């Protein structure tokens, strides 16, 4: 694929050639790492076709998060869409990591600024592109043997970038499916792609081997843990929880419920959640949990899954006093989890919505990298809504529940200014 020459400036203003293109659209501050995949070569004018599409996708998402640029975000979105579709129609060799990255950004934009159905359709296309590129088997034994014959830093960075794109899409699949109660597309048991390395290792090019996600109950070593890997593991726990809910509902409808099997699944999930929330509390100080957007979302999600498990438990028949006592004890645990989500939500007001930070690449050729993300995780409304629903249905547990619901709804209202997921939850 040949490089093409394009203007370095976005199509809505001029700037000097030495200016960061993100600064050229008037964005405040800088973009922090949260989407967990790298957007590279955005400061060059000799961009490849797929990189141009990625550049426009990045501008689209960035403009959607800036109050000063709302009048141009739709034009950028339409342009990015046309560029992506034209490449897919005209070039049979269009597949590249940049193309998948651009599709992911457009999907996130549609979920946040369009509607859930359109974002879901875009996600499906993105997942198929990833499967065509076989990103689900980056660390398949045959591929690893082949790569080890030519070890170098550039190769490792490239493979790690592919891992991050896959796991970003894996998490996206889960959170979209939870929102719409749709079946899942990507599954960890068909995946031979290792978990991503911690952010500092990636940014500084410090190679390390990470495990695959064959067992979500497995404890990660101290150097392997990061907010992103924890969020991936929690996404897998959420998948098990969805299976538990569906299996319990089916058994109840068919009259084939076996209480022992139900409680075995419940206890296994309960212990799994303890094994995940414990390290989060111990490894990351409270101040960091309130200031890091990925960690804040991950902590909220861990507690929200406790609420979901409680809802499933309460719908099950309780035939013995021991079962009733177990339900009451877990309900109290869920109340504490809901209060924790509320406490975490108070940090959202202190997070700016967008930051852009140039970073140096660990690469054989000098490049500048930009990592895109909103300071507030795009799916933060999901655990907030689960928390509000719990308080609404359990007002008898806490006389302050009504005011707590209002506080959460106020947080959703703030996020709703740039995220339609939050707005939709308020209107539901």
């Amino acid at each position: 694929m040949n490089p093409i020459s394009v203007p370095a400036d976005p199509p809505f203003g001029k700037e000097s050639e030495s200016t960061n293109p993100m600064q050229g659209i008037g964005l405040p501050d800088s973009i922090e790492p949260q989407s967990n995949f790298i957007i590279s070569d955005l400061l060059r004018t000799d961009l490849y076709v797929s990189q141009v599409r990625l550049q426009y996708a990045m501008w689209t998402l960035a403009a959607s998060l800036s109050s000063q640029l709302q009048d141009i975000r739709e034009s950028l979105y339409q342009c990015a869409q046309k560029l992506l579709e034209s490449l897919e129609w005209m070039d049979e060799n269009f597949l590249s990591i940049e193309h998948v990255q651009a599709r992911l950004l457009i999907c996130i934009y549609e979920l946040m600024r369009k509607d859930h159905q359109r974002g879901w359709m875009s996600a499906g296309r993105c997942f198929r592109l990833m499967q065509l590129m076989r990103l689900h088997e980056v660390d398949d034994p045959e591929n690893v043997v082949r790569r080890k014959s030519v070890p170098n830093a550039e190769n490792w960075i490239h493979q790690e970038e592919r891992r991050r794109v896959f796991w970003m899409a894996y998490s996206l699949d889960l959170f979209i499916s939870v929102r719409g109660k749709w079946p899942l597309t990507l599954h960890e048991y068909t995946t031979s792609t290792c978990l991503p390395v911690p952010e500092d290792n990636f940014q500084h090019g410090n190679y390390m081997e990470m495990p695959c996600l064959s067992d979500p109950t497995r404890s990660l070593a101290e150097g392997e843990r990061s907010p992103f890997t924890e969020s991936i593991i929690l996404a897998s726990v959420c998948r098990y929880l969805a299976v538990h809910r569906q299996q319990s509902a089916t058994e109840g409808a068919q009259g084939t419920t076996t209480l022992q099997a139900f409680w075995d699944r419940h206890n296994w999930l309960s212990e799994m959640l303890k094994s995940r929330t414990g390290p989060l509390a111990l490894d990351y100080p409270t101040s960091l949990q309130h200031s890091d957007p990925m960690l804040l979302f991950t902590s909220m999600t861990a507690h929200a899954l406790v609420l979901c498990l409680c809802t499933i438990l309460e719908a099950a028949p309780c035939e013995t006093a021991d079962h009733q006592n177990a339900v009451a004890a877990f309900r109290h645990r869920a109340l504490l989890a809901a209060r924790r989500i509320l406490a975490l939500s108070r940090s959202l007001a202190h997070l700016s919505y967008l930051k852009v930070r140039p970073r140096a690449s660990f690469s054989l050729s000098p490049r500048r990298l930009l990592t895109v993300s909103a300071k507030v995780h795009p799916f933060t409304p999901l655990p907030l809504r689960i928390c509000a629903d719990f308080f609404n249905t359990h007002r008898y547990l806490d006389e302050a529940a009504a005011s707590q619901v209002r506080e959460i709804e106020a947080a959703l209202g703030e996020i709703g200014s740039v995220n339609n997921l939050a707005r939709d939850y308020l209107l539901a």
Side-chain angles (χ1 to χ4, degrees), residues 26 52 72 103 130 148 186 198 201 205 231 272 279 301 308 337 343 384 402:
V52 174
I72 62 169
R103 278 292 179 195
M130 281 183 13
K148 282 186 175 178
L186 306 173
N201 290 70
S231 72
M272 190 187 294
T301 300
C308 293
L384 289 178

Side-chain angles (χ1 to χ4, degrees), residues 4-25 41-47 51-52 55-56 58-59 76 370:
I4 62 173
S5 180
V6 297
D9 304 330
F12 41 82
K14 295 294 183 180
E15 58 181 344
S16 68
E17 292 183 0
S18 62
T19 304
N20 184 323
M22 296 299 289
Q23 296 172 345
I25 57 177
D41 292 320
L42 293 179
L43 301 183
R44 294 171 51 185
T45 58
D46 59 334
L47 300 178
Q51 293 169 339
V52 174
Q55 188 175 54
Y56 272 82
M58 186 195 69
W59 283 335
L76 285 170
L370 293 172

